Amino acid sequence: MDKHISVAIDGPAAAGKSTVAKRVAKILNFTYIDTGAMYRAFTWAVMEKGLDPQDEKASCSIIPEVSIDMFEDGTVVCNGVDVTRAIREPRVSSNVSYIASYKDIRLAMVDLQRAMAASKSVVMDGRDIGTYVLPNAEVKIFQIASVECRAKRRYDENVSKGIPTSFEDVVADVEKRDYIDSHRAFAPLKPAEDSVELDTSPLNIEEVVDAILAIIHEKTGIEIPCH
Ligand code: DC
C-alpha cells in the first residue's frame, strides 16, 4: 500500500473502542494506537511523584521528564516502568480526566500521537482524534453506547482482569468522565462533522468490527481481508 490510511475512532469512556480498534487494526495490518493509555500513563507518573492530579501547575511541571513508550503488543512503558496494568487501576481511572483536561499535557501527547501516525497506517482511538489530532483522517467514527451498557462492559473487563470494583462505582466513574471529557475547554469530546456515528449498544464485538470495516471499505475503497 503506497498511501497511509488513518482511521480515527472517538467516543465516550468504555464504549468498547479499544477492543474493536485493536481487532480492526489486526485485520487490516494497521498499527493500533490507544491514546487514552497515554493520558493514563501520564496520570500514573503524576501520582507516582506524589503530586495531586487536580493541581494543573504541579501536573504540567513534570512534562519534560515524562517519557511514554507504546509497543505493538499493547505494553505501555512510562519512565522505564511497565505500567500496562497499573494504568487500568481505579485510582488512575478516576483521576485521568483531570490530567486529560490540561492543555499543555494534551499538546505534548498530541505531538507524540501525530508522530506515531505520520509514517504508517493506523487505527487510533481517543476523544479528539477526528476533531483535533488527525483532522485529515480518511475515516472518522464516533462510537457511542448507553451509560448502562458501557458501565457493564467496563465492570466485566475489570472483573476479568481481577481489578476489584463495584458496579455502582463504575457507573459513577463513567458518568463523571463523560462530563469532564465533554466539558473541558480544549479539544473536548465531540463528534467531528465528517464522522460516522455508530451506536454499539445493541451490537456484539464482531458486529461492531464488521460495521467499522464496512465503513472503512466504503470511505477508502480498500479491500477487507477475510477474517
Ligand atoms: O479511553 P480511556 O478511558 O482509556 O481514556 C482515559 C481518559 O483520557 C479519558 O478520561 C479521556 C481521556 N482521553 C482524552 O481526553 N483524549 C484522548 N484522545 C484519549 C483519552
Side-chain angles (χ1 to χ4, degrees), residues 68-79:
I68 298 172
D69 295 297
M70 316 276 289
F71 294 89
E72 290 274 342
D73 70 353
T75 303
V76 182
V77 173
C78 183
N79 295 344

Side-chain angles (χ1 to χ4, degrees), residues 78-100:
C78 183
N79 295 344
V81 178
D82 182 342
V83 295
T84 314
R85 189 184 150 84
I87 61 172
R88 304 290 157 195
E89 285 174 2
R91 71 182 192 109
V92 170
S93 298
S94 61
N95 282 297
V96 62
S97 277
Y98 302 116
I99 295 298

